Amino acid sequence: MGSLWSEGHSSSILCVDWSPGPTGLVASGAEGGELTVWTHEGVILGRLVLPGQEDVTSATFSPAGSANLYVSHGDAVSVFDPRNLKAPVEDFQSAGEEEINALALNETGSSLAVADDSGAVRILEIPGGKVCRSLRRHTNICSSVAFRPQRPNNLVSVGLDMQVILWGLQKTRPLWTLNLQDMAEEEDDHQQQRPGQLFNPPLAHCVSVSSCGNILGCAAEDGRVHLMRIGSGSKLEQQGAVKAHTQGASQAHFIPFLSHPYWMVTGGNDGRVALWDLSKHPVVAPEGKAQAAAPQRRRGKSGGRRREQALDKSKPKEKSEKAEAEEDDAAAEKQQEEQKSGPKLSISHGDKVNWLCPAVLKGEPSVIVADQSTNLTVYPLSQL
């Protein structure tokens, strides 16, 4: 089902990015300082091994076109012309306090967010690479960072401290912080735990924001993709989760070029790649479900009160027990519905997923998968 892009690397590929511009270039970074640029047909355009041979941990194209490619290695960021990899256009030494894990550019390409092992997030001015803000709140490795589309002063970061933080960059302070451990415990309370079943802590590996800017998705070590809806005033309105993988979920990316903004592709340590339509998930579309459920509850209560006035003391108790049974049935039905709302596409890739990159290649919606091997695998999403 998938096609292989080979001979671009000699070690495990750690990151991939795609430029949605007219050229549709793809960049991949690997262990040992390897950087490769590909055409949208999978032809190698250029290869380079960075001096120092530090792992290339993140690569991102400038959103203003494929004029620049930003690459993190060690605590530095190098900027390349992707069509000429001979030498960097710019080098930002000590861009991170420690080894950098993730890069993110804002929509105009004027700010670069750098997340590192110290837990800090630095904001660099582009061009030049001057550090204009330092965001410190994570108590462990900051693993992933993303700007909110259409909200240039909002940035979200996640880390191995299980924290999701939405930052207001004007005052360099968190607008809110969510602990995924608390969120996961709430989810577990609503699900039956099998005897002997253990859950990994929800260490946060990857965060993505839908193109509308209101839905966050975070892949975590507990196998879930945790979802959050941001409302007016950048407040956290609602949270929930999708049980996406049987082992840790390493990647989650919203896809901006399908029929609506709430398609998401996920990958995990279970070797599976899954495509989800989240448009009807309660976190994404809560209003219809809430409006449908609320009148039923109100009718039940008012009817119960009227009957209590006409019946003796034992019968209201019977009614109460009946209402509880109906609620239990409704909860079980809801759980069955959630279990049925599985992925629209599930691919048994077979190897742990290091990185996923949604892309349009040769005019076809696709997902590029990097794993423990030296090859990239491209799966088409055209059957949608």
Side-chain angles (χ1 to χ4, degrees):
M1 184 180 175
S3 58
L4 282 184
W5 290 10
S6 57
E7 301 181 7
H9 294 279
S10 62
S11 55
S12 181
I13 302 171
L14 303 176
C15 58
V16 189
D17 196 36
W18 166 69
S19 172
T23 55
L25 297 179
V26 172
S28 54
E31 295 174 351
E34 296 181 357
L35 176 65
T36 302
V37 174
W38 315 72
T39 70
H40 65 98
E41 295 177 329
V43 177
I44 296 171
L45 195 63
R47 290 181 64 186
L48 176 74
V49 177
L50 297 172
Q53 299 185 9
E54 294 171 304
D55 294 351
V56 177
T57 53
S58 187
T60 184
F61 285 100
S62 169
S66 58
N68 285 324
L69 171 64
Y70 295 80
V71 174
S72 62
H73 51 102
D75 65 358
V77 174
S78 296
V79 189
F80 289 92
D81 176 351
R83 295 191 168 277
N84 183 8
L85 290 182
K86 290 180 181 177
V89 179
E90 284 185 283
D91 268 321
F92 308 147
Q93 297 298 328
S94 301
E97 295 181 12
E98 295 181 15
E99 184 176 2
I100 297 168
N101 298 305
L103 301 175
L105 280 157
N106 66 355
E107 289 178 301
T108 60
S110 61
S111 295
L112 177 70
V114 176
D116 69 30
D117 276 0
S118 74
V121 179
R122 285 179 167 178
I123 309 297
L124 278 57
E125 293 178 352
I126 302 297
K130 179 184 175 183
V131 177
C132 59
R133 292 174 180 84
S134 291
L135 312 175
R136 291 183 177 86
R137 192 58 63 96
H138 288 287
T139 58
N140 203 326
I141 290 170
C142 184
S143 50
S144 183
V145 65
F147 284 92
R148 278 184 74 195
Q150 306 175 42
R151 279 84 173 172
N153 291 315
N154 279 187
L155 178 85
V156 60
S157 64
V158 302
L160 302 192
D161 57 359
M162 301 180 282
Q163 304 288 330
V164 179
I165 303 177
L166 182 68
W167 300 89
L169 296 182
Q170 289 174 319
K171 297 184 178 179
T172 65
R173 68 185 185 196
L175 298 173
W176 50 259
T177 300
L178 179 67
N179 187 315
L180 292 183
Q181 181 78 59
D182 297 340
M183 190 171 162
E185 287 172 358
E186 288 179 16
E187 288 285 324
D188 293 339
D189 288 343
H190 292 91
Q191 296 178 6
Q192 274 195 321
Q193 185 171 346
R194 295 171 189 152
Q197 187 178 7
L198 298 175
F199 292 105
N200 290 326
L203 312 177
H205 295 305
C206 177
V207 69
S208 179
V209 189
S210 62
S211 58
C212 66
N214 293 334
I215 305 296
L216 307 182
C218 176
E221 187 63 27
D222 59 357
R224 294 186 176 102
V225 174
H226 297 267
L227 301 174
M228 289 138 268
R229 187 175 78 250
I230 304 173
S232 60
S234 296
K235 293 179 181 177
L236 177 61
E237 275 192 350
Q238 192 168 347
Q239 65 257 20
V242 173
K243 181 59 177 160
H245 295 274
T246 58
Q247 297 180 38
S250 55
Q251 289 281 289
H253 296 274
F254 283 104
I255 305 175
F257 48 75
L258 293 181
S259 56
H260 57 69
Y262 308 118
W263 287 99
M264 172 179 273
V265 63
T266 66
N269 295 339
D270 57 1
R272 299 199 73 83
V273 175
L275 181 70
W276 307 82
D277 179 356
L278 299 176
S279 59
K280 295 180 181 178
H281 191 279
V283 171
V284 177
E287 294 172 4
K289 291 198 174 188
Q291 288 171 355
Q296 290 175 2
R297 286 196 296 269
R298 284 196 295 269
R299 283 197 298 268
K301 287 180 181 177
S302 61
R305 288 194 194 100
R306 285 195 296 269
R307 289 186 183 90
E308 283 172 14
Q309 293 171 358
L311 298 174
D312 62 24
K313 291 181 181 180
S314 64
K315 290 185 178 177
K317 186 177 179 182
E318 289 171 6
K319 171 61 188 176
S320 175
E321 289 171 352
K322 183 180 176 184
E324 287 177 7
E326 287 173 352
E327 287 175 8
D328 289 343
D329 291 343
E333 189 176 334
K334 182 182 177 184
Q335 188 171 348
Q336 287 177 353
E337 285 178 13
E338 289 175 354
Q339 289 171 351
K340 287 178 184 176
S341 60
K344 299 300 179 184
L345 180 65
S346 183
I347 300 165
S348 181
H349 178 68
D351 203 354
K352 287 184 178 181
V353 174
N354 283 343
W355 204 279
L356 293 179
C357 179
V360 178
L361 304 173
K362 296 185 286 187
E364 185 173 46
S366 309
V367 59
I368 307 169
V369 182
D371 54 31
Q372 311 288 303
S373 75
T374 60
N375 303 319
L376 293 173
T377 308
V378 177
Y379 294 104
L381 304 177
S382 53
Q383 55 263 54
L384 297 172

